[in-house]
Structures are given as structure tokens and as C-alpha cells.
Amino acid sequence: MWALRRVPKPLRDTSIRTGASFSASARLQTSNTFIEKNAIFSGSSQLVSDTCPSLLRFYCSTHASSNFFVWRCGLSSQAGAESSGEEDDLEDGFSELETAGNSENKRDHISKDETEDGLDSDQEFSVDVEETASNELELFGAETDVSDKKSSGRRTTSGLFKALVSAPGLSIHKVLDKWLEEGKNLSRAEISSATLNLRKRRMYGRALQLSEWLEMKQQLEFNEKDYASRLDLIAKIRGLQKAEDYIQTIPKSFRGEIIYRTLLANCVVSNNLKKAEEVFNKMKDLEFPSTAFACNQLLLLYKRLDKKKIADVLLLMEKENVKPTLFTYRILIDTKGLCNDIYGMDQIVETMKAEGIEPDVQIQSVLAKHYASAGQMEKAEEVLKAMEGDNIKENRWVYRFLLPLYAGLGKADEVERIWKICDSKPRFEEYLAGIEAWGKLGKIEKSEEIFERLLKTSKKLPARYYTHLLKVYSNHKMLEKGKDLVKRMAGNGCQIGPFTWDALVKLHVEAGDVEKADSILQKACQQNEIKPMFTTFMVVMEQYARKGDIHNAEKMLHRMRQAGYVARVSQFQTLVRAYINAKAPAYGIRERMKADNIFPNKSLAALLPQVDAFRRTSVSDLLD
């Protein structure tokens, strides 16, 4: 059956079908998919394999109505269709789950040699890259649990890596030529170590130059993973189109699943829903087997942009016997929590346990966060105690999770207790967790004290470490202290990037100076190396919307387009609020949304009549 081989109809939008109208067979397929979905929803389906858990049933059955899939099938073929309901009112940023994400190779702490002498001196990267460490380092291996990486200790770095880091950015090839002339070690192990360390520090430009030099000088016999690594770097530095072009230069014998998996992951990093679906479908056309990695990438993307399509991916996984991984459960649990469906979240956890998979520390952190948000403080504390285990001193690696979580519950005594254990010799991530935790509790002096201790641990810290304290100042509207910290960053040679811009913009917004926040954002946009974060634009746009400043709200929408961000429901929702607060009609707003393939959710649909210039009211009827 066609549906068993290819992506279900909802994953293929009309643009992928080259604009042609659906054939009779395509319409039949849509009908069959609808029937199958409703059968699964009702619990009577025989589609579920004995070897794959009925995860779709548990995911959908907790709050869906009988009309859910009927409406879904009408919109699922539209690119950019977004989820409806309360979840769309949530922030468009990335949750803790995605930040931790799939980052199996993220260290529990950073050894001193990794931050000295500018090893982390490359530009700061945006959250799009930060939150998908899995796409950087784990594209080519199986997913593992962060708990397996409890303490890595001090790690050595290769001589080649140190030579590449110490060289000026545009002279990498000269350094490598000299390395070769001197007859130094250039084994695959040395090259792999250097590349891995460059990636960990997000020094992608140098890693790409290394890869290009190796091929040009024929110093390495490239395999599929080497080509995939090059593709990944090109996508990060030069964009998706250049990465696609590069695939055509790869020998056909090496254009395997890993190559397209890498491109798919970078589409997800870029939040390019249409391109991600195209790549996923291309993988099906090439008859690559469906993998958990590829499905998880779509789940991660749909979690951000179109939550209803999650059901389509789960259906595909059930049909093709793709076993859910720990990361699959993390995404689903967090999605339920973001929708405030705590019962549904608990059901997913029970399903996971029934499959013999225990929640890892990241899932426990997400559970605690959502329990607290729902006001279930006792359940949140219960999860935190489970994370601690019987002997907290033996579970040192969980401190960085516990500190901000206890602070979020307002448990100052628990934060103090945990911090005392690591106070004698904190690890880097514990310093950052301590700054965040005491900031949440309003203990600014303690956050500052920990930050000053952190500064003394290294000759030069990257900007992202300063950003933690900057966020504390932003949350407490401490504008002058925030400005002083940024000046200090510049004086210490830190490269200012998206995280710092975001904190600075929010700092000025919280202080009520939206014009200055806008000015900072505009200057950041003029630095062409990397774009500001989506949430940075939105926080300014929302302020203009509250003021009813239509001109500047429209200007922010235009700037986001220029920066390369695709249209989202949240942008139009904010824009419509600007028109409402200005008491002005929004001419052509529905047509604009349609042109961007944006379909209103319930919240936006309720707002649109208020800006309709031609709407009729009881008063207008009387006057007519």
C-alpha cells in the first residue's frame, strides 16, 4: 500500500506536488488516512504493530475532540499551517527540552583549558544553533542519554586543534600547509579530534576550512561521514541552498541516508518547515528506511511551528515500526506540558515506562517545570527529590538542573543546601546555574558574587557566560548594571552576539525604553554575520502592539522577513493586536496571511473580526 511506504498525506503540502490538483487516487489516500486516524483515535485500529507502542493513541486521546482529525485533514496539506488552541499563545521561543535537546556530547562542565587564550573567541551563535547540539555532533551516531556522561573530567585537546585556534581566521590553509611541511601528525584520529573540538566551540568556519584543505590536498580519503560533516558546516556557514548545491558534487556512492539526514537536521535548525518536509519526502523517494532520528527532527520542528502535525509523524512511526527513542518521549512530554495538558503528559510518561524506558534527568527537569507552571508544587518537588537520589553528593552532575528548578519553586533553603555542596569547587555549568537560581530568588548580590568567582577561573570567558548575569539584571529591571556589564564584556574582548543582543533588548524593554531597544536591535541587524533571535524581534514588536503603534509593529514584521524568518501565526497575532489597540481597521490582513500560508488559530480568529473594516455590528445595523 502506498501509505505504508511514503509519508502520510498531511506531511506533503500542495507545493511539493508542484501545484497540481489532487488525483482521485490522492483523494482516496487522504480518505484512507482519515479513516485510519479515526480508528486509532477510537482505539479500534489494527494498524499498530506489536513491536511498536501505540504512542499516537496515548498522545491524541487525552484532549482531542471527535472533530479533531476532520479539521486537521482540511489544513494538513498546507505549508505553514500552525496549531490551534491555547498552545499557540505560548512563547515562540525554545523550551528547556530543546536547549538540552539531543546533546549527548555536551559536557557536564567545561575544563579550564577550553576557555583560555580565546579558544571560545568565535562569534556568539544564536539559539537556533545552541539548542540543536544534536545536529552538530550527533548526526552520525545513535542517541544516548546525558546521564551516561556524568563527569568527563579534564579533556585534552589535539595539537592540530590548538594550532588552528591560535591562527588568524583567514590563514588556516597556511597553518595547515606549514603543519604538513613540518611532518607533524595528520592521522584521522588527530583530524577527528581537532574537528570535534572546533565544533564544540562553534568555530564552524575554521572546521570548514580544515575540511576543504584536507580534500584539496588529498590528505584524507573521504567517506560518507566526512562528506556529511562538510555538508553540515556549509549549511551552518553558507545556508541551506549552498548545502543542497554541495550534495550534487558528492559522489553518488556516498549520497546515503546520513547526507540527507544532515540536511534535514539543518532545515530544522533554520525552522524551514517547507524545506524540511521536502527533504524528508526526498528520503522516502530514495527509499531510505525511516529512522527515529529523522522522525524526531520533524517532531521537534512541528513542536515549534505546527503541533497538530505531530500526530502525522507518530502515525508514520507506527506504520513503519519505527521505535520511539528517549528523545521522542522528551519532545512529546514537553509538548503536552506546554499545552498545559498535565494529565496527557503523565500518560506519555506511563507509556514510556511501560516500554521499559525510564525518564532521564532532562525529562525529569521538564516534568518539574510543567508541574510548577500548573501549580502542582508537591509533584514538582517529588520529581526533584527523585532527581537527587539517595545520595546527592554522588549525583553531582544533576546540580546544574536542580539549582534553577528549586529556585523556580521559591525554595531558597534548597538552593542554599545544593549550592553549599558544590561551593568549594563549582564546575562551569554549576556557576551558571547558581547565577540563574539566585537571580530567580531576587538575591542579586549572590548572583554577582558567583559571577565574580567565575571570572577568576579563566583568562577569558566567552560572552555567553556574561549573558547569564545580564538576564538577571533584565528580569529585575536593573538597567544601569546591565549597561555596565556590557561595557565590561566589550572591555574584556568578548564578541557580542545574539544572546547578548537579546538580553540587552529585553533589559531596555523592561525598563520601558522600547525606542532604545529598537535601536539596539536595528544595529544588531546591520551586522551581517548572524541574525538576532526571533524572540528578540518579537519582544519589541509586542511592545509596539501594546502601544497601538501600527507603523513600528509593521516595521518589525518587515525586519523579521529581511532577517530570513518565515511567517508565523504569532507575528500576525501581535500585528492584529496593534491594530486593535490603535482602534484602526487592518485592510487586507486576511489576504496577507493567506499569501504567507498562515491559517488563523482560535485566538487569532477571535481577534480578526475586531479589525475588519467591513464588519457589521448591532449599532451599524440600526444606523443603516
Side-chain angles (χ1 to χ4, degrees), residues 343-405:
Y343 175 75
M345 184 176 74
D346 288 341
Q347 288 293 99
I348 298 293
V349 174
E350 291 303 314
T351 305
M352 178 180 67
K353 289 181 177 179
E355 291 300 310
I357 303 176
E358 288 299 319
D360 67 350
V361 68
Q362 292 172 340
I363 287 179
Q364 289 174 314
S365 298
V366 171
L367 289 171
K369 180 187 70 174
H370 291 310
Y371 285 142
S373 297
Q376 299 185 20
M377 301 303 180
E378 290 184 5
K379 294 186 75 172
E381 286 190 62
E382 184 180 330
V383 172
L384 296 185
K385 292 301 180 184
M387 291 172 64
E388 288 190 32
D390 296 330
N391 189 337
I392 182 60
K393 292 184 179 180
E394 293 181 359
N395 291 334
R396 175 73 181 259
W397 59 286
V398 303
Y399 291 179
R400 62 189 175 104
F401 296 97
L402 292 173
L403 285 166
L405 288 171

Side-chain angles (χ1 to χ4, degrees), residues 62-289:
T62 54
H63 67 279
S65 68
S66 59
N67 295 324
F68 174 81
F69 284 124
V70 176
W71 184 60
R72 177 70 188 91
C73 287
L75 295 182
S76 60
S77 64
Q78 303 297 328
E82 300 234 1
S83 53
S84 66
E86 296 178 359
E87 66 260 32
D88 285 308
D89 293 314
L90 299 167
E91 183 179 341
D92 268 284
F94 303 109
S95 72
E96 285 181 22
L97 169 68
E98 292 163 345
T99 308
N102 223 7
S103 54
E104 298 80 25
N105 274 356
K106 267 192 176 180
R107 294 149 296 169
D108 293 60
H109 66 281
I110 302 175
S111 56
K112 199 172 191 178
D113 60 45
E114 294 171 328
T115 51
E116 290 180 350
D117 303 318
L119 299 192
D120 220 336
S121 61
D122 269 23
Q123 65 188 8
E124 198 180 358
F125 275 72
S126 75
V127 73
D128 290 321
V129 174
E130 174 74 18
E131 63 86 23
T132 49
S134 61
N135 296 338
E136 300 171 21
L137 301 176
E138 289 299 318
L139 283 166
F140 322 122
E143 295 171 318
T144 58
D145 190 342
V146 72
S147 62
D148 294 333
K149 312 285 183 183
K150 293 183 180 179
S151 180
S152 56
R154 187 180 179 88
R155 298 190 180 193
T156 58
T157 52
S158 72
L160 178 60
F161 164 72
K162 291 181 178 178
L164 293 172
V165 166
S166 61
L170 298 177
S171 63
I172 298 300
H173 286 197
K174 292 181 181 179
V175 171
L176 291 167
D177 288 337
K178 184 179 178 181
W179 184 276
L180 189 61
E181 289 170 6
E182 294 175 353
K184 292 183 179 179
N185 179 25
L186 202 57
S187 64
R188 178 173 280 277
E190 181 76 15
I191 293 167
S192 297
S193 177
T195 302
L196 182 63
N197 278 289
L198 289 170
R199 281 179 170 278
K200 285 179 179 177
R201 292 155 187 81
R202 303 174 187 85
M203 303 173 92
Y204 303 121
R206 295 171 191 244
L208 180 56
Q209 289 184 65
L210 171 60
S211 175
E212 291 172 339
W213 181 87
L214 289 168
E215 188 172 27
M216 180 178 64
K217 296 291 185 177
Q218 297 182 337
Q219 292 298 310
L220 186 68
E221 187 176 346
F222 271 48
N223 56 33
E224 188 175 8
K225 290 184 179 180
D226 296 319
Y227 286 116
S229 177
R230 170 85 68 83
L231 173 68
D232 182 53
L233 294 168
I234 291 172
K236 284 173 168 52
I237 299 296
R238 299 169 185 165
L240 293 175
Q241 186 57 56
K242 294 291 185 182
E244 281 193 281
D245 294 343
Y246 174 70
I247 290 178
Q248 302 307 312
T249 70
I250 298 173
K252 287 188 177 181
S253 59
F254 291 112
R255 293 184 207 170
E257 189 265 343
I258 292 177
I259 296 296
Y260 288 93
R261 175 205 297 193
T262 303
L263 182 60
L264 173 63
N266 278 283
C267 293
V268 174
V269 169
S270 301
N271 285 320
N272 193 325
L273 185 147
K274 180 179 178 181
K275 181 62 67 177
E277 290 179 336
E278 286 179 0
V279 174
F280 190 90
N281 286 323
K282 175 69 172 178
M283 294 170 72
K284 302 301 291 181
D285 292 338
L286 293 172
E287 298 186 346
F288 295 137

Side-chain angles (χ1 to χ4, degrees), residues 501-512:
W501 298 334
D502 185 64
L504 265 177
V505 165
K506 290 177 180 176
L507 183 66
H508 283 85
V509 165
E510 290 294 332

